[in-house]
Amino acid sequence: MIEQKELKEIGKFQKSHALKGELNALLDIAPEYVSEGNAIIIDVDGIYVPFYAESVRQKGSQSYLVKLDGVDSEADAKPFVNKIIYALKTELAPFLNMEEDEIVDDDFSGYIVIDDKTGIEIGKIVSVESSTANVLFVIETPSGDEVFIPAVEEFIVEIDDETQTIKMIFPEGLLDLNNKTEK
C-alpha cells in the first residue's frame, strides 16, 4: 500500500479534454517522467492508486494533455478532474533539478546518510538548507557535530524511504571540509 510520506506532488488534473478521455494537466516536472512509463499516483477515496499514461502531449508551457490507460471516455475521465497528481519520491530523482529548490525540509529530515563506499553512517539529516545558492543537507554526526553536505544528484546513489536512508558518494576531502579541529 502506498503511503503519503512516499509521495511528492507533481501536478494537478484540471479538466477533461474532448471525448476520448484525455485530461488537461498542469505538471511541475518534466513531462518525460509521465511519458516514460512512470506511475502517477492519484488519491482515490483515500487510497493512493497508481496509473500509467498512454500518451502525453504538450498544450502550453506547463499544460499537457494526458491520456491514462483504461480511461477512454469523458465519463471515465470525470473522476480525475481537479485531482492532485503525485509521484513516488524514489522514482523522481532523475527528473528533479535539486538546485531549483525541489528538496523540501520535511522530505529528508530524519534520514540517515551513509557513505556508499565505506558503508559508514555519516549522520542524521536535521534540516535542509535551501537559502544558499546550493541546497545543503545539514547533518548531525554520531559524535554530535554538524556537517553540511551538498544535496546534488551526482552525490546521491540511492534513497530508501522505507529505511529512511540515503546512500551517497563523496568527492575526496569533502567530509574533511567540515572537520573543525585545528591542525
Side-chain angles (χ1 to χ4, degrees), residues 82-95:
N82 293 321
K83 291 280 189 173
I84 294 184
I85 304 168
Y86 299 95
L88 291 168
K89 290 177 188 176
T90 54
E91 293 179 353
L92 285 174
F95 298 91

Side-chain angles (χ1 to χ4, degrees), residues 132-181:
T132 60
N134 297 311
V135 177
L136 301 169
F137 288 140
V138 180
I139 300 171
E140 184 178 309
T141 66
S143 64
D145 293 327
E146 196 172 76
V147 297
F148 298 86
I149 305 291
V152 294
E153 287 182 75
E154 296 82 37
F155 296 171
I156 297 173
V157 175
E158 177 185 15
I159 299 172
D160 187 334
D161 287 318
E162 193 171 308
T163 61
Q164 291 199 329
T165 57
I166 301 176
K167 290 184 181 176
M168 298 181 77
I169 54 173
F170 305 101
E172 193 165 327
L174 177 68
L175 295 175
D176 296 333
L177 291 174
N178 289 287
N179 192 350
K180 295 179 174 120
T181 58

Side-chain angles (χ1 to χ4, degrees), residues 4-5 7-9 89 92 96 101-111 125 128 137 159 161 164 166:
Q4 185 163 4
K5 68 180 181 178
L7 302 175
K8 180 162 181 65
E9 185 177 325
K89 290 177 188 176
L92 285 174
L96 292 179
D101 214 7
E102 291 290 340
I103 294 176
V104 179
D105 290 357
D106 294 339
D107 285 350
F108 297 112
S109 289
Y111 279 55
I125 298 174
V128 177
F137 288 140
I159 299 172
D161 287 318
Q164 291 199 329
I166 301 176

Side-chain angles (χ1 to χ4, degrees), residues 15 17 24 71 98 106 147 169:
K15 59 185 178 176
H17 178 81
N24 187 6
V71 177
M98 293 184 187
D106 294 339
V147 297
I169 54 173

Side-chain angles (χ1 to χ4, degrees), residues 21-22 51:
E22 285 184 309
F51 292 89

Side-chain angles (χ1 to χ4, degrees), residues 19-35:
L19 302 174
K20 296 182 183 178
E22 285 184 309
L23 290 149
N24 187 6
L26 289 177
L27 296 177
D28 300 327
I29 192 165
E32 291 80 20
Y33 174 82
V34 178
S35 64

